[in-house]
Amino acid sequence: MSDTATPSVLFVCVHNAGRSQMAAAFLTHLAGDRVQVRSAGSAPADTVNPAVVEAMAEVGIDITAEVPKVLTVEAVQASDVVITMGCGDTCPVFPGKRYLDWQLPDPAGQGVEAVRPIRDEIEKRVRGLVDEIAPQA
């Protein structure tokens, strides 16, 4: 990742319906065009978790148009930083990439009350990531 290139981040969880969607939405919201953002799942769900959509709406971020996407080798290769959230060894590993594993509860099957603390922890971690890889000029 050079100083002139836009850093690229890929968030990966199993279903790409909760944690990775929230993280990608926060990064897009906070960093704008300073970071290229992707999210994917090793076994994508059909839709984004409705409780996750509701929890994100509560903080002013609309993810109703998002759809779970399958994790591809190309997405990993195109990313500078790969952040996994509970997908274990299913994420391909390539030399030169930075890998982080965020241990977070899975919001699958949970109501919005259970999703809020997960959302807030993801926001905190994403804010730290933004400060590190895409600080304001």
Side-chain angles (χ1 to χ4, degrees), residues 34-48:
R34 292 181 289 142
V35 178
Q36 185 177 39
V37 183
R38 297 178 180 87
S39 72
S42 53
D46 293 329
T47 61
V48 174

Side-chain angles (χ1 to χ4, degrees), residues 22-123:
M22 288 189 282
F26 274 125
L27 185 54
T28 299
H29 178 74
L30 295 168
D33 60 3
R34 292 181 289 142
V35 178
Q36 185 177 39
V37 183
R38 297 178 180 87
S39 72
S42 53
D46 293 329
T47 61
V48 174
N49 180 332
V52 166
V53 173
E54 183 179 342
M56 292 302 286
E58 290 177 353
V59 295
I61 300 176
D62 180 6
I63 62 169
T64 56
E66 296 300 324
V67 294
K69 295 165 280 306
V70 68
L71 176 63
T72 65
V73 168
E74 293 78 19
V76 177
Q77 288 176 319
S79 301
D80 298 307
V81 181
V82 179
I83 299 175
T84 58
M85 304 176 195
C87 62
D89 296 331
T90 61
C91 188
V93 176
F94 294 97
K97 306 293 176 193
R98 179 175 172 203
Y99 292 87
L100 300 171
D101 185 42
W102 289 358
Q103 295 293 320
L104 297 160
D106 188 349
Q110 304 291 321
V112 72
E113 300 80 19
V115 172
R116 286 182 188 119
I118 302 167
R119 173 202 64 201
D120 295 345
E121 178 62 23
I122 289 171
E123 179 182 15

